[in-house]
Amino acid sequence: MAFRIDQIRLRQIALPLVRPFETSFGRTVERQIILVEAVADGVSGWGEVTAGEHPFYNEEWTESAWPILKHYAAPAALGRTLGTAAECAPLFDRIRENRMACGGLEAAVWDLEARLLGQPLWRHVGGARTEIPCGVSIGIQESVPALIETIERELACGYQRIKIKIKPGWDVDVVREVRRAFPSLRLMVDANSAYTLADADHLRRLDDFYLMMIEQPLAHDDILDHAALQAQLSTPVCLDESIRTARHAGQAIRLGAAKIINIKLGRVGGFAGARKIHDVAQAAGVPVWCGGMLESGVGRAHNIALSTLPNFVLPGDVSASRRYWARDVVAPPIEVTPRGTILVSGEPGFGYALDHDFLQAITVREEKLS
Ligand code: OSB
Ligand code: MG
């Protein structure tokens, strides 16, 4: 069923977090999120741009994503008739990087196609499970007791694994205390590129705490040093920032730089890219899991759909709306079961109802392109 992209609407919303989220690269208090609406035959599909407010996780930020969408991605898609949503990503091949900007539109087109077919998005992208295992990502805290209290609260909600953010000065000693408090916890750490290979001896001390993995310890664009580090660690290395394409994934796996891969829809430019990385990893016997970027309900719902693909065998950073938002842009919000899972929706498209009044109230800019 072919469809023509008649209109693309960009909308930036301001959404304050219920509590600040701190990583090795900075602290986020309020999100500035671009939502993308793609329209065909009067039906709208929705996507979320996962760029942060600063170019600190990768090179993109809200203020770079808007003009990339307006001047490059939207013009490449507008008026085009697509045979399937899989034909969307190649329209952006000329645009170097800027995958989060393009990926917001690409995901909207997948949602649009699912809605035109009257199908749930998760089924449409090839999902194989109706219940996904969930973990949480816990930012850098004021103190170790505060961190332990936070972990207790998350475990009481049922979450199946805990990820803690680390950085130099908040790493081995913190993990030791957490491991002492929770001997059987499924625990992992994420450094967001805060170390170099010169820190290998220090990072090897984490091997004592039988972590599930250490995520992205070294440079955001590195593969080779991660391979060298993995050769010195028993803790599995998981790559996040370094993997943007299936080629990166294949090379990282071949070199021994990644025993696990975190797939984020935005970082890899949308569903087509995510599925390719998923398939490369699956063929190599490398498990993947779905990362998060402090998404609103729209991006969160897309992450749920992605997490239903067969090789998403580890709990992802896909959690309940209430951990981040006092009020989400979808109503009812996304919730987690007492066993730390999310049940996928059987509704068409991404499966949750948008709260249009709330969206309107928090919109800071809007533009319709056709
Ligand atoms: O590296 O996984 C990351 C948030 C912002 C930027 C980078 C990362 C994160 C998270 C949060 O870990 C995951 C979530 O959305 O719950
Ligand atoms: Mg990460």
Side-chain angles (χ1 to χ4, degrees):
M1 171 227 45
F3 57 101
R4 180 180 180 275
I5 311 293
D6 299 322
Q7 197 179 63
I8 292 167
R9 300 177 189 148
L10 306 181
R11 173 194 296 272
Q12 183 175 327
I13 56 172
L15 207 52
L17 290 164
V18 292
R19 61 185 76 83
F21 188 86
E22 189 173 332
T23 67
S24 64
F25 61 78
R27 196 177 159 89
T28 307
V29 175
E30 182 190 73
R31 295 296 331 279
Q32 291 288 336
I33 296 172
I34 300 171
L35 297 178
V36 184
E37 193 180 342
V39 187
D41 297 329
V43 175
S44 287
W46 290 75
E48 176 164 338
V49 175
T50 63
E53 290 66 44
H54 303 281
F56 299 160
Y57 164 81
N58 63 3
E59 77 287 353
E60 297 191 75
W61 58 310
T62 312
E63 296 294 326
S64 71
W66 190 280
I68 286 286
L69 277 159
K70 177 175 173 180
H71 298 297
Y72 293 97
L78 274 170
R80 299 295 287 252
T81 298
L82 302 180
T84 72
E87 293 173 14
C88 185
L91 300 176
F92 310 139
D93 277 351
R94 287 176 71 197
I95 305 169
R96 291 284 178 256
E97 299 301 335
N98 292 285
R99 297 173 198 280
M100 292 171 162
C102 297
L105 174 53
E106 203 261 7
V109 170
W110 279 92
D111 181 52
L112 169 60
E113 185 181 46
R115 288 171 194 267
L116 290 167
L117 293 168
Q119 242 196 20
L121 179 61
W122 67 268
R123 205 185 281 285
H124 189 51
V125 299
R129 61 176 69 79
T130 55
E131 185 170 5
I132 64 160
C134 303
V136 291
S137 174
I138 300 179
I140 292 161
Q141 304 288 305
E142 294 272 283
S143 66
V144 172
L147 173 60
I148 287 177
E149 204 176 294
T150 303
I151 294 173
E152 268 163 5
R153 197 175 61 233
E154 302 294 8
L155 292 177
C157 293
Y159 288 105
Q160 296 186 10
R161 72 101 171 95
I162 299 289
K163 160 169 136 184
I164 60 179
K165 292 290 191 179
I166 58 167
K167 65 175 182 181
W170 180 267
D171 51 26
V172 176
D173 295 338
V174 173
V175 172
R176 181 182 299 107
E177 292 303 312
V178 170
R179 185 45 96 200
R180 182 175 299 156
F182 306 98
S184 61
L185 176 63
R186 287 217 277 171
L187 179 66
M188 59 174 287
V189 294
D190 184 2
N192 289 109
S193 303
Y195 300 91
T196 71
L197 196 51
D199 298 310
D201 287 341
H202 179 65
L203 294 173
R204 196 163 49 234
R205 295 168 64 201
L206 292 170
D207 280 349
D208 289 348
F209 310 115
Y210 44 97
L211 301 175
M212 294 172 78
M213 69 196 88
I214 177 170
E215 182 180 347
Q216 196 71 34
L218 310 181
H220 69 95
D221 56 355
D222 170 81
I223 291 177
L224 285 180
D225 281 357
H226 280 100
L229 178 67
Q230 180 68 87
Q232 302 177 54
L233 290 187
S234 60
T235 304
V237 170
C238 168
L239 292 183
D240 172 352
E241 284 90 327
S242 293
I243 307 297
R244 294 168 179 234
T245 67
R247 178 169 49 82
H248 294 156
Q251 292 179 348
I253 292 167
R254 181 145 43 92
L255 292 168
K259 290 192 174 153
I260 300 169
I261 294 175
N262 164 334
I263 300 182
K264 289 179 179 165
L265 208 44
R267 194 193 73 226
V268 307
F271 279 103
R275 293 205 305 185
K276 282 186 196 154
I277 294 170
H278 167 275
D279 293 352
V280 163
Q282 186 172 35
V286 169
V288 305
W289 55 277
C290 183
M293 291 295 292
L294 315 177
E295 286 93 346
S296 79
V298 175
R300 213 161 278 279
H302 283 273
N303 288 345
I304 294 167
L306 180 63
S307 302
T308 66
L309 295 181
N311 195 35
F312 281 80
V313 291
L314 295 168
D317 284 343
V318 185
S319 56
S321 302
R322 70 159 57 89
R323 294 189 61 251
Y324 292 110
W325 319 118
R327 181 174 172 185
D328 201 346
V329 302
V330 296
I334 292 160
E335 303 210 75
V336 164
T337 68
R339 55 186 179 277
T341 64
I342 293 176
L343 296 167
V344 304
S345 164
E347 297 295 313
F350 69 66
Y352 295 83
L354 283 160
D355 183 340
H356 289 280
D357 293 340
F358 184 51
L359 268 181
Q360 209 50 51
I362 59 176
T363 295
V364 296
R365 66 172 151 170
E366 211 175 346
E367 199 159 329
K368 291 181 171 55
L369 309 166
S370 54

